[in-house]
Amino acid sequence: MASTDDPLLLLRQSIAAGSQIIPTTSADSSEEAPLSKATHLVFTHPTRIAVPIDAPTRFTSTEGKAVDVRSIYFAWLNRDFAIPEYNAVATKLNEEMAGAAAVHMFAFVERLVLFTFLEGAQEESEFIKPLPGDKDAAAGTGAAAAGASLKAAPAVPGRAGKGTLDPRLAQIYSGERRMGDRNTVLRGIKPTDFSHVRKLAAPFLTRKPGGPPLAGGVGASATIPLNQKPARRPDPIILLSPSASSLLRMSNAKAFLEGGRYTPPDHNSSSTMLHISRLLKDIDPSRPMRFILVEGPEQFKPEYWNRVVAVFTTGQAWQFKNYRWSNPSELFKHVLGIYLGWRGEQPPEAVRVFGHRVLACSVEKWRDPGQPGAETSRWRDREVVEAIWKGIEANMRAKGWRKDAAPVAI
């Protein structure tokens, strides 16, 4: 077959020139017909040539069979389709031809080689047989070049532009197979659309439940820090009674609850907040928990009430006026109540009405340290403190306090 009549070359030249390619029902016709009924493929460049549409070409499949003109042309028409879409339209065309003929369904590698050849990016391939004339000419040229290289070894510029290259290496390099660009080699000629990945990534571009979403949403350029630290557990809060008759005030709470020794309060103290530490083994045995002590909720934010673990009270109702739950019965359903009085004295009637929701504790009456035997009675203070912390710890575990988390509601 002459090179001018080769269907692959004719199709390649027509694609390069942008000329018309017409499937027809006869060699003399110029009226376009469907591929399922066409018998010839008419090329208009460089001259009008009609090729039988069922004629085999130099392109061979992986099974070693020659692929016909109709299959080559049909694959080029549907070059923008992915493999599943291409197989679907090829199956539909085969059904239209009802067994009279069948187009070859190209594999991915076959399509890649075919399209790079038709686009002029590749000359030779294991799937494309060379023309007989080109093969002989190439053999003669190679023998002549080999003989010439043995007789004389002229200096050949190196490929990198540095120094000279051995003629025999130049001959080897000239026979290298030309490769396509990264699009044709890695992904074929159709660019891949990754826009669907945005929907899949949306759940990962927002913060954990309970946190605000990232600024700008999915489409913004917000980034998630690689070493984002976990949220710190908030400090629990204990409310003291602001009553002047209360045995436990800001001035002596630290010495009593942290040191285990009761001293009378200093009513001249102006402190409004206090921090104490206590190790609660059933909640976090590895580190002490820090507690915040305040006498009133005036500076509270609404979410602070979920951190309140105990309320010291004298039974006076006015203490709860500004609380989230101003009714004492309702308050002590959510928070542990604690009453601290003198040993040997009955708690007030208001405290007894609250029942088991208020833990009643008693300490030895204070005596001047200068009096004989005053210090011997203070050893009971630590026993009372341990009972108070035991009640607080049990209430915290029941409300959901954990080693690394606090309750979201009480």
Side-chain angles (χ1 to χ4, degrees):
M1 180 185 293
S3 61
T4 55
D5 297 334
D6 179 63
L8 283 179
L9 289 180
L10 289 173
L11 183 57
R12 180 176 179 175
Q13 294 170 0
S14 298
I15 292 171
S19 60
Q20 192 176 14
I21 305 171
I22 309 171
T24 63
T25 54
S26 66
D28 300 329
S29 175
S30 297
E31 184 177 352
E32 185 173 358
L35 276 180
S36 58
K37 298 180 180 180
T39 60
H40 289 76
L41 200 63
V42 177
F43 297 94
T44 58
H45 179 83
T47 59
R48 187 184 188 282
I49 300 176
V51 177
I53 203 165
D54 293 330
T57 66
R58 293 185 292 117
F59 192 95
T60 57
S61 64
T62 53
E63 293 84 6
K65 298 180 180 180
V67 181
D68 60 291
V69 175
R70 179 191 280 111
S71 300
I72 297 290
Y73 179 63
F74 179 75
W76 174 255
L77 290 179
N78 298 282
R79 60 190 179 277
D80 291 335
F81 287 174
I83 291 293
E85 298 170 347
Y86 164 74
N87 289 339
V89 295
T91 302
K92 182 178 180 181
L93 178 59
N94 289 338
E95 292 174 353
E96 293 175 358
M97 292 188 291
V103 295
H104 173 70
M105 295 187 183
F106 287 85
F108 175 80
V109 177
E110 295 176 348
R111 294 182 70 199
L112 178 63
V113 172
L114 175 63
F115 296 156
T116 52
F117 174 80
L118 294 179
E119 290 175 337
Q122 182 175 341
E123 296 295 337
E124 299 176 357
S125 169
E126 65 272 18
F127 294 106
I128 302 175
K129 296 181 179 180
L131 291 170
D134 292 344
K135 184 175 182 181
D136 296 339
T141 303
S149 64
L150 294 176
K151 293 180 181 180
V156 180
R159 293 195 298 176
K162 297 180 180 180
T164 59
L165 189 65
D166 188 285
R168 288 172 293 183
L169 288 178
Q171 179 186 352
I172 295 172
Y173 289 147
S174 65
E176 286 183 340
R177 176 181 174 183
R178 296 184 181 180
M179 305 299 292
D181 59 13
R182 62 182 181 88
N183 288 327
T184 58
V185 172
L186 299 179
R187 304 190 307 184
I189 64 171
K190 181 181 179 181
T192 305
D193 182 13
F194 291 103
S195 60
H196 67 283
V197 178
R198 179 173 298 182
K199 295 180 180 179
L200 300 177
F204 302 99
L205 296 181
T206 55
R207 292 188 182 274
K208 294 181 179 180
L214 291 175
V218 176
S221 59
T223 57
I224 300 177
L226 296 178
N227 298 321
Q228 185 175 6
K229 295 182 179 179
R232 187 178 66 87
R233 180 191 60 199
D235 296 331
I237 299 174
I238 297 177
L239 284 169
L240 301 180
S241 173
S243 174
S245 62
S246 175
L247 301 186
L248 198 65
R249 301 293 300 275
M250 296 296 292
S251 59
N252 64 341
K254 187 177 181 68
F256 182 65
L257 294 177
E258 194 173 68
R261 177 180 173 81
Y262 180 80
T263 56
D266 180 5
H267 295 285
N268 295 323
S269 175
S270 60
S271 176
T272 58
M273 186 174 67
L274 188 67
H275 295 94
I276 63 174
S277 296
R278 173 76 181 188
L279 181 65
L280 303 181
K281 295 182 179 180
D282 290 345
I283 297 179
D284 189 352
S286 60
R287 55 176 178 167
M289 297 184 68
R290 189 177 76 158
F291 290 79
I292 300 176
L293 274 63
V294 292
E295 287 188 343
E298 289 78 11
Q299 304 298 325
F300 270 27
K301 295 180 181 179
E303 61 269 21
Y304 286 4
W305 279 103
N306 296 326
R307 297 162 51 187
V308 177
V309 296
V311 174
F312 282 83
T313 181
T314 58
Q316 297 168 296
W318 60 265
Q319 175 185 347
F320 316 118
K321 181 179 180 181
N322 296 325
Y323 281 23
R324 179 178 178 180
W325 301 281
S326 57
N327 186 338
S329 299
E330 182 67 20
L331 170 67
F332 295 126
K333 290 180 181 179
H334 300 274
V335 182
L336 174 67
I338 302 174
Y339 169 78
L340 185 65
W342 297 122
R343 185 180 299 274
E345 296 183 359
Q346 289 290 332
E349 179 64 24
V351 174
R352 294 199 298 269
V353 169
F354 300 150
H356 68 279
R357 294 189 177 93
V358 175
L359 176 64
C361 301
S362 302
V363 294
E364 295 290 336
K365 288 186 178 181
W366 176 257
R367 289 190 297 173
D368 189 344
Q371 297 180 0
E375 292 296 325
T376 59
S377 62
R378 297 265 59 95
W379 65 271
R380 295 179 180 271
D381 293 346
R382 182 170 294 278
E383 181 181 355
V384 175
V385 170
E386 293 299 324
I388 292 175
W389 280 118
K390 184 177 180 180
I392 293 176
E393 183 176 10
N395 181 72
M396 290 178 65
R397 285 192 287 108
K399 294 299 182 181
W401 285 88
R402 299 292 182 267
K403 179 178 180 179
D404 55 356
V408 296
I410 60 172

